[in-house]
Amino acid sequence: GEDVEQSLFLSVREGDSSVINCTYTDSSSTYLYWYKQEPGAGLQLLTYIFSNMDMKQDQRLTVLLNKKDKHLSLRIADTQTGDSAIYFCAESNDSGGGADGLTFGKGTHLIIQP
Amino acid sequence: NAGVTQTPKFQVLKTGQSMTLQCAQDMNHNSMYWYRQDPGMGLRLIYYSASEGTTDKGEVPNGYNVSRLNKREFSLRLESAAPSQTSVYFCASSVNGVGGYTFGSGTRLTVV
């Protein structure tokens, strides 16, 4: 079945850029997502990218997709303490609301050092 | 503007007890999902409902049942709780279009 892999932890200094990486195996992935989970809360959709795009930028967030290598990354510019959270990569091979749900990675804990 | 509402937020059960986790969405979404989140395991799909009146098994359905009561509500039932079901449970919904899912804030369940 599909698999989504992420590193479990990333530590960065406040003000630096954070780059969270994700690899996936499903070559028919249509949409790829980044979710943010703050402590004690549910998952919040940060951004998503369609598989025919290479890049998407939204304020401090930049998503890069290398479809050939099945590699997705999320760059957070000027990382702040409020960015401390778990970031989940997810993929779907349909419109995103399909019958079999999203496949999630295990999440990357982003730790911000002062 | 409630989005996805889950109740209860916390629950402690004894082994063998039963309970139902409630989920409701007010966004007129067609699809609804139940996930469980365990440390180091990410989110795993328990059951989903692609539309009102249909339900299907996900990755880890054993020990659970679901009911899609109407378009708004999708409940998850544990008939005989086991310690292995200690987890955080998330309900989510989707319109079936672009944009991913909307998640509830979760139910933290402990089975002792």
Side-chain angles (χ1 to χ4, degrees):
Chain A
E2 302 91 357
D3 196 19
V4 177
E5 298 284 343
Q6 303 176 239
S7 298
L8 288 183
F9 295 96
L10 175 66
S11 179
V12 298
R13 288 190 176 176
E14 189 175 358
D16 288 351
S17 292
S18 306
V19 179
I20 303 170
N21 294 302
C22 169
T23 59
Y24 59 97
T25 59
D26 187 356
S27 58
S28 62
S29 291
T30 309
Y31 290 91
L32 295 127
Y33 304 85
W34 284 105
Y35 283 85
K36 177 183 181 182
Q37 184 182 30
E38 296 180 352
L43 278 72
Q44 172 194 1
L45 178 64
L46 274 182
T47 187
Y48 63 93
I49 189 168
F50 188 50
S51 60
N52 68 353
M53 298 169 63
D54 297 326
M55 186 181 84
K56 182 178 181 182
Q57 187 153 5
D58 183 4
Q59 299 182 345
R60 291 192 298 122
L61 305 178
T62 303
V63 178
L64 295 177
L65 175 61
N66 182 327
K67 194 174 181 181
K68 174 177 171 289
D69 294 338
K70 299 190 186 68
H71 182 267
L72 182 74
S73 67
L74 173 69
R75 179 177 181 270
I76 305 173
D78 187 24
T79 308
Q80 303 297 310
T81 54
D83 296 323
S84 179
I86 305 174
Y87 291 82
F88 289 92
C89 172
E91 65 90 21
S92 70
N93 57 12
D94 56 19
S95 63
D100 57 353
L102 297 177
T103 300
F104 286 89
K106 291 180 170 48
T108 299
H109 293 245
L110 179 61
I111 300 163
I112 315 300
Q113 299 175 352
Chain B
N1 254 13
V4 177
T5 303
Q6 289 184 236
T7 55
K9 291 191 185 302
F10 301 93
Q11 183 72 50
V12 178
L13 289 179
K14 292 183 179 179
T15 298
Q17 285 185 317
S18 63
M19 79 162 293
T20 300
L21 281 64
Q22 307 288 350
C23 175
Q25 52 93 7
D26 61 1
M27 297 170 288
N28 202 36
H29 284 176
N30 290 314
S31 299
M32 297 185 74
Y33 309 84
W34 277 104
Y35 286 88
R36 59 178 290 173
Q37 184 180 23
D38 303 289
M41 300 293 288
L43 280 87
R44 293 181 291 171
L45 182 65
I46 305 170
Y47 269 94
Y48 61 90
S49 170
S51 61
E52 184 180 355
T54 68
T55 61
D56 285 285
K57 295 178 180 179
E59 182 186 352
V60 288
N62 291 346
Y64 306 94
N65 284 300
V66 290
S67 295
R68 184 75 182 267
L69 304 169
N70 47 55
K71 193 170 186 180
R72 290 187 64 249
E73 298 172 288
F74 187 39
S75 61
L76 178 72
R77 182 160 179 84
L78 287 71
E79 289 291 350
S80 179
S84 61
Q85 294 177 304
T86 294
S87 187
V88 182
Y89 291 85
F90 288 101
C91 177
S93 70
S94 171
V95 71
N96 284 349
V98 171
Y101 299 176
T102 301
F103 280 82
S105 58
T107 296
R108 187 173 296 274
L109 175 67
T110 302
V111 183
V112 296

